């Protein structure tokens, strides 16, 4: 998911020609991610939620998948990735991404994905 950014026009007197405008997704990776809640286990106020992840776009290079959840999280793993937690975000560094995989997240019950972004790594 991405946030709309209003285009900005800039006048530069020193250039001889051209009007250049760009519009679209700020994420230039060309890869998008969708999430489907699969399972949820409750341990009182906390628990574990599993999500199926589907990547669309040209895969083949390592990616950084950043997922922001609607509640605080304490742990996350999956997708054959190294994962960093900066609650409510989980950052999955995936060396060989596949089109479909599963991630598991521990935190508050009723966890949902609020936003995500994909960055291609070189």
């Amino acid at each position: 998911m991405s946030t709309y950014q209003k285009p900005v026009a800039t006048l530069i007197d020193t250039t001889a020609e051209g009007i250049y405008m760009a519009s679209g997704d700020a994420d230039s990776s060309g890869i998008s991610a969708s999430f489907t809640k699969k399972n949820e286990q409750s341990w009182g106020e906390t628990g574990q939620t599993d999500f199926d992840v589907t990547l669309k776009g040209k895969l083949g290079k390592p990616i950084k998948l950043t997922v922001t959840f609607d509640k605080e999280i304490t742990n996350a793993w999956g997708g054959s990735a190294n994962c960093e937690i900066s609650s409510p975000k989980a950052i999955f560094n995936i060396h060989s991404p596949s089109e479909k995989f599963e991630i598991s997240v521990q935190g508050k019950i009723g966890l949902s994905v609020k936003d995500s972004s994909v960055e291609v790594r070189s």
Side-chain angles (χ1 to χ4, degrees):
M1 297 181 191
S2 61
T3 305
Y4 174 78
Q5 294 181 348
K6 185 177 178 179
V8 176
T10 305
L11 177 62
I12 303 172
D13 292 331
T14 58
T15 57
E17 62 182 76
I19 295 176
Y20 301 93
M21 297 290 287
S23 179
D25 193 349
D27 181 2
S28 62
S29 71
I31 301 172
S32 64
S34 61
F35 302 84
T36 305
K37 191 181 285 191
K38 187 175 177 180
N39 298 313
E40 187 169 54
Q41 299 174 20
S42 175
W43 308 317
E45 293 182 21
T46 62
Q48 178 175 312
T49 307
D50 302 321
F51 295 91
D52 283 330
V53 182
T54 303
L55 297 177
K56 291 186 181 175
K58 188 175 179 182
L59 301 175
K61 293 185 177 182
I63 63 168
K64 177 173 103 173
L65 171 63
T66 303
V67 185
T68 304
F69 297 94
D70 64 342
K71 296 181 173 128
E72 295 298 310
I73 63 171
T74 56
N75 200 4
W77 63 91
S80 299
N82 295 328
C83 187
E84 304 166 32
I85 304 297
S86 178
S87 189
K89 291 183 183 182
I91 302 165
F92 297 87
N93 293 295
I94 306 172
H95 182 71
S96 297
S98 59
E99 288 182 9
K100 295 184 182 229
F101 56 92
E102 183 179 297
I103 60 171
S104 298
V105 184
Q106 292 177 339
K108 298 283 185 182
I109 288 298
L111 209 58
S112 294
V113 174
K114 184 176 176 182
D115 194 18
S116 69
S117 65
V118 180
E119 176 185 329
V120 175
R121 297 285 182 104
S122 38

